[in-house]
């Protein structure tokens, strides 16, 4: 496999370097963030996106912010750190991993009462780096479990970008694809362009091109046609939130792909880390669907497509019922139905 | 219903006025064509599009060309007219209605041996106008038959543009929608944007806005989501070619909508004139699928979306098997399965 790109990393100077996803796929530009404000801006403007990647960016941003706190008393330091955390959480209040990452960092700070504050600041930078490396290990484990489900050869369809760009690296659904390629399987990828924001055409297409994995871009409405012609062997996608019963929220269009896959007898897999599980929700009906700006549908890149005054709907996600999932691929192994038994077991709750 | 627009018409000066579909939806600009070359250019550059509309434009263009023929001998006149017809047919060789329209006009010329050539020229202009008016009558008849299938109220999903812009006026699938609105039914339309060329977002959205029919634009991958939520009562689309067994070729993405409709128990109707039937084909497997330029997928309006070097597939049509159709709505009534009996009967062949 060709090598590749780094979504986010510490520089030797202690700043954060991240790939600007708003400039992809035409330009591969890296940003350097040296302050909390710069990290917050990068998250807010979608220069870094994807729930796991945002979580890592926030943890690293918090470590940056910690360095500028003047307090030397542990309790005062932690109070100041919480304020920095609140600033980062506010950048995208709905991203679950962001709040989770800040909580984990604050927990480390609070539990390190014995450390001098100067050492604690270094400890936080190390913790953020550990989270970054852990995320890549999780994705490699997902890839390893998932690639066992990929026949050889295989034509795989994916939707949106559940790739290295959405994580600290390697990706979840694209992790399965990368692992199959690394195992020497002859694979070919169908990339749904994923309107309205074109994460497939822009980001997945770019990642697969970089990785040297053969891929063909299609508009979302072509998926059924190629399934009908027998040219799709399996589907693998990511997830944004998975309920206790296995219902999975993911980028709008995922549900349609799942129904089409079922109608053609094609296996449909969701690849996601354990942290995506929300066992507090009994079913996908409880997952709120974010409605985004109509202009994302009526315009592309500021260029108006639809007549002035035309109303548009723009749900950012849909929910695929567990009955359409052939398996959920996690870093701890593969969950099968009934998911309300397999998911709590894998998560360590049951 | 608000009034509206004219796809194509004779001017009082004897020239052809047509709406420039490449400028929609942001500008409503009309072109005036006074020569065969100008008509040929308008067809070639998609300023006029949609198989029935192209047929009418070609017939009117042939009548324009007839006026400039110097021959006064009937046989010599017809020979010159055939050459003009060949020029028009060459503009878009795959459009069935174009060749059909030229054949019909040449037939009129050949059968009018008793007329002085000067009168024959006027006769050809009148014949083209008759074809234009007939096309609108056919569409109104399709609308009348089809609207009986529309409940009140109804939320109707359509794909691509089978509207007044694709015909001499009123439209086929949109004709059904117009007729339901004219019958006083409370309808609301879901408009698939129809990537890659966005005929839904550009043309159907514009037509429905002009007609004052409430409509909401969605990306193609949202159709399943709104079906899942119980917000779609029926689907109606057009067709480009229908085989003897009822298999229907239409704009790419139609098949996916049909599969999704079936999975949700939603009626799926095709609205098309009898001239769309190709009874010489026993099934849709024999319908050739046009593959268009990859740049239609990788670019929008000349703006590149995908990384340089990314391959794309671009089948312009797909084939929906007859088993997914609840009915085919024609100007002569509604055909139901088994279509290899109902379609020949309606066409007058059986």
């Amino acid at each position: 496999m060709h090598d590749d790109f780094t979504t986010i990393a510490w520089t030797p100077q202690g700043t954060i370097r991240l790939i600007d996803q708003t400039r992809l796929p035409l330009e591969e530009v890296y940003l350097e963030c040296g302050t909390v404000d710069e990290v917050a801006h990068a998250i807010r403007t979608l220069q870094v996106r994807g729930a796991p990647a945002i979580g890592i960016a926030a943890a690293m941003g918090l470590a940056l912010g910690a360095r500028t706190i003047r307090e030397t008393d542990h309790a005062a330091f932690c109070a100041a750190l919480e304020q920095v955390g609140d600033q980062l959480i506010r950048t995208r209040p709905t991203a679950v991993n962001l709040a989770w990452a800040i909580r984990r960092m604050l927990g480390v700070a609070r539990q390190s009462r014995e450390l001098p504050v100067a050492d604690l600041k270094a400890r936080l930078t190390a913790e953020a780096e550990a989270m970054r490396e852990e995320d890549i290990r999780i994705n490699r484990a997902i890839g390893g479990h998932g690639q066992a489900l990929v026949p050889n050869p295989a034509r795989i369809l994916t939707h949106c970008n559940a790739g290295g760009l959405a994580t600290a690296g390697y990706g979840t659904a694209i992790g399965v694809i990368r692992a199959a390629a690394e195992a020497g399987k002859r694979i070919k990828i169908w990339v749904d362009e994923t309107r309205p924001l074109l994460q497939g055409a822009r980001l997945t297409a770019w990642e697969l091109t970089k990785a040297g994995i053969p891929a063909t871009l299609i508009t979302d409405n072509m998926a059924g046609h190629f399934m009908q012609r027998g040219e799709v062997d399996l589907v693998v996608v990511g997830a944004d939130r998975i309920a206790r019963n296995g219902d999975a929220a993911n980028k709008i269009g995922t549900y349609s792909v799942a129904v089409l896959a079922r109608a053609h007898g094609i296996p449909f897999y969701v690849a996601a880390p354990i942290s995506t599980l929300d066992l507090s929700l009994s079913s996908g009906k409880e997952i709120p669907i974010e409605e985004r700006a109509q202009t994302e549908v009526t315009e592309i890149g500021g260029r108006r497509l639809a007549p002035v005054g035309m109303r548009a709907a723009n749900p950012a996600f849909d929910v695929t019922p567990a009955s359409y999932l052939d398996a959920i691929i996690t870093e701890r192994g593969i969950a099968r139905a009934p998911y309300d038994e397999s998911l709590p077991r894998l998560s360590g709750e049951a």
Side-chain angles (χ1 to χ4, degrees), chain A residues 86-101:
Chain A
D86 287 345
Q87 177 191 351
L88 286 162
I89 287 175
R90 277 195 304 271
T91 55
R92 292 199 65 192
T94 54
V96 167
N97 288 49
L98 202 163
W100 168 86

Side-chain angles (χ1 to χ4, degrees), chain A residues 44 46 90 97 138 164 238 320:
Chain A
R44 201 182 298 114
L46 310 186
R90 277 195 304 271
N97 288 49
I138 285 171
T320 301

Side-chain angles (χ1 to χ4, degrees), chain A residues 8-291:
Chain A
I8 187 165
W10 290 115
T11 67
Q13 293 74 37
T15 59
I16 300 167
R17 185 171 181 265
L18 53 84
I19 193 165
D20 183 349
Q21 301 197 32
T22 63
R23 306 279 286 274
L24 290 171
L26 302 188
E27 295 174 295
E28 183 175 345
V29 175
Y30 289 83
L31 297 170
E32 194 179 335
C33 297
T35 68
V36 174
D37 285 349
E38 286 168 359
V39 174
H41 180 264
I43 296 173
R44 201 182 298 114
T45 60
L46 310 186
Q47 289 171 321
V48 57
R49 54 150 282 284
I54 287 173
I56 307 302
M60 294 169 80
L62 194 71
L64 272 187
R67 295 180 203 158
T68 64
I69 296 175
R70 301 277 177 101
E71 311 286 348
T72 52
D73 170 70
H74 180 265
F77 175 84
C78 285
L81 195 67
E82 268 182 55
Q83 290 197 326
V84 178
D86 287 345
Q87 177 191 351
L88 286 162
I89 287 175
R90 277 195 304 271
T91 55
R92 292 199 65 192
T94 54
V96 167
N97 288 49
L98 202 163
W100 168 86
I102 297 293
R103 262 202 317 277
R104 174 163 159 178
M105 292 286 284
L106 291 174
V108 166
R110 287 193 201 100
Q111 285 156 26
S112 306
R113 224 171 269 119
E114 76 292 347
L115 276 187
V117 162
D119 295 351
L120 177 49
K121 291 176 180 177
R123 174 80 183 76
L124 289 170
T125 292
E127 182 70 14
E129 174 62 13
M131 288 165 69
R132 195 186 74 83
E133 291 169 9
E134 182 183 294
D135 190 59
I136 297 172
R137 279 198 305 276
I138 285 171
N139 293 334
R140 288 196 175 270
I142 288 171
H145 292 299
Q147 79 86 12
L149 299 172
V150 176
N152 186 16
R155 296 154 303 177
I156 306 172
L157 187 141
T158 191
H159 188 74
C160 196
N161 174 259
L165 289 166
T167 62
Y170 205 73
T172 53
I174 292 186
V176 173
I177 288 168
R178 287 181 194 272
E182 288 165 9
K185 293 181 181 174
R186 284 172 295 121
I187 57 172
K188 180 193 153 184
I189 315 303
W190 294 106
V191 179
D192 272 2
E193 67 174 3
T194 316
R195 279 278 289 150
L197 292 183
L198 297 164
Q199 292 93 337
R202 293 171 52 243
L203 306 179
T204 297
W206 183 82
E207 276 198 52
L208 294 175
T209 300
K210 289 280 274 187
I213 296 173
T216 302
L217 179 63
I218 59 175
T219 59
D220 300 312
N221 62 21
M222 293 176 190
H225 173 67
F226 287 108
M227 290 180 182
Q228 182 188 36
R229 292 167 64 119
E231 297 185 34
V232 180
D233 298 308
L234 67 92
V235 177
V236 62
V237 297
D240 289 81
R241 184 144 37 152
I242 300 174
R244 188 178 194 92
N245 71 342
D247 292 354
N250 192 44
K251 183 55 56 194
I252 187 72
T254 303
Y255 170 66
S256 289
V257 174
V259 172
L260 289 164
R262 175 59 49 90
H264 295 86
I266 296 166
F268 182 92
Y269 302 117
V270 168
I274 292 291
S275 60
T276 308
L277 303 180
D278 187 346
L279 299 180
S280 73
L281 303 184
S282 62
S283 88
K285 289 195 177 65
E286 299 169 45
I287 302 177
I289 301 292
E290 178 189 356
E291 181 79 19

